[in-house]
Amino acid sequence: AQTVTQSQPEMSVQEAETVTLSCTYDTSENNYYLFWYKQPPSRQMILVIRQEAYKQQNATENRFSVNFQKAAKSFSLKISDSQLGDTAMYFCAFMKHSGGGGGADGLTFGKGTHLIIQP
Amino acid sequence: NAGVTQTPKFQVLKTGQSMTLQCAQDMNHEYMSWYRQDPGMGLRLIHYSVGAGITDQGEVPNGYNVSRSTTEDFPLRLLSAAPSQTSVYFCASSFFLGLVAGELFFGEGSRLTVL
């Protein structure tokens, strides 16, 4: 079974600062996906960024980037030039990729980090 | 462009009552799933389906039933609600070509309170 650990229950930074959210995971799988989801107060789960484990290059999406360290099983999210609209819960998630029906048993989520962007 | 639609968004039940949470998607996704979100617990998988007529259990299936008679719909049934089922429920879907295509699309969630 996989586990995902987010060690920061809450973080607070000033607008325009850079913030890094940490995530570690434990798995015996070699092929998998990693995700960061954002959940604003509206409750909608929004995909922020994803990383395929076989890709060495770190994924980036505008102000969001990841630092994927496969050997260390670490997958941190960096938000640059943070904005008030970035205030939300952020969840790190794992999905296995290999084998028949890979990923059908869904995402394994961390417990989340509540990020607050202060004006 | 509806995506994944869940109804109702809010529901209050008494212990022992039954109800169905509806989920519909218009993206022709083969894969559909139900999660529950509890404070401090993240999201946990209840049941999932990889196509019409096929369902399977996730991490926390007890107390819930599902069926998948069409590609579009994946209802979640609580046969006898218990206070432990107070939670926010999310439906999510994806393409499935032998494996989940790497991104789940979520509904807006349904908040259920069992008294």
Side-chain angles (χ1 to χ4, degrees), chain A residues 5 13 15 20-21 25 31 47-48 51 61 63-64 76 87 90 98 101 107 111 113 119:
Chain A
T5 302
V13 299
E15 193 176 7
T20 298
L21 309 182
Y25 58 94
N31 295 320
L47 179 66
V48 175
Q51 174 83 41
E61 287 288 342
R63 297 183 295 108
F64 299 88
S76 61
T87 293
Y90 286 81
S98 58
L107 292 165
K111 295 183 178 181
T113 296

Side-chain angles (χ1 to χ4, degrees), chain A residues 46-93:
Chain A
I46 302 166
L47 179 66
V48 175
I49 200 165
R50 71 179 179 193
Q51 174 83 41
E52 288 90 342
Y54 67 86
K55 291 186 177 179
Q56 292 187 337
Q57 187 172 4
N58 289 325
T60 62
E61 287 288 342
N62 300 315
R63 297 183 295 108
F64 299 88
S65 61
V66 298
N67 183 5
F68 173 48
Q69 302 287 332
K70 189 173 183 180
K73 297 180 181 175
S74 171
F75 183 60
S76 61
L77 174 69
K78 185 172 81 171
I79 306 174
S80 303
D81 185 25
S82 58
Q83 301 174 358
L84 297 178
D86 296 332
T87 293
M89 284 292 294
Y90 286 81
F91 292 95
C92 179

Side-chain angles (χ1 to χ4, degrees), chain A residues 31-50:
Chain A
N31 295 320
Y32 49 88
Y33 291 106
L34 294 164
F35 304 86
W36 280 98
Y37 277 90
K38 170 185 177 181
Q39 187 180 40
S42 67
R43 212 169 59 198
Q44 179 82 48
M45 294 290 288
I46 302 166
L47 179 66
V48 175
I49 200 165
R50 71 179 179 193

Side-chain angles (χ1 to χ4, degrees), chain B residues 67-93:
Chain B
S67 60
R68 185 92 180 271
S69 57
T70 67
T71 299
E72 295 78 19
D73 301 299
F74 190 46
L76 179 71
R77 297 183 184 86
L78 285 72
L79 297 180
S80 179
S84 61
Q85 294 178 303
T86 293
S87 189
V88 179
Y89 292 84
F90 287 93
C91 181
S93 71

Side-chain angles (χ1 to χ4, degrees), chain A residues 5-25:
Chain A
T5 302
Q6 293 179 249
S7 58
Q8 304 150 313
E10 185 169 292
M11 297 185 71
S12 180
V13 299
Q14 297 294 122
E15 193 176 7
E17 289 184 345
T18 295
V19 59
T20 298
L21 309 182
S22 65
C23 172
T24 58
Y25 58 94

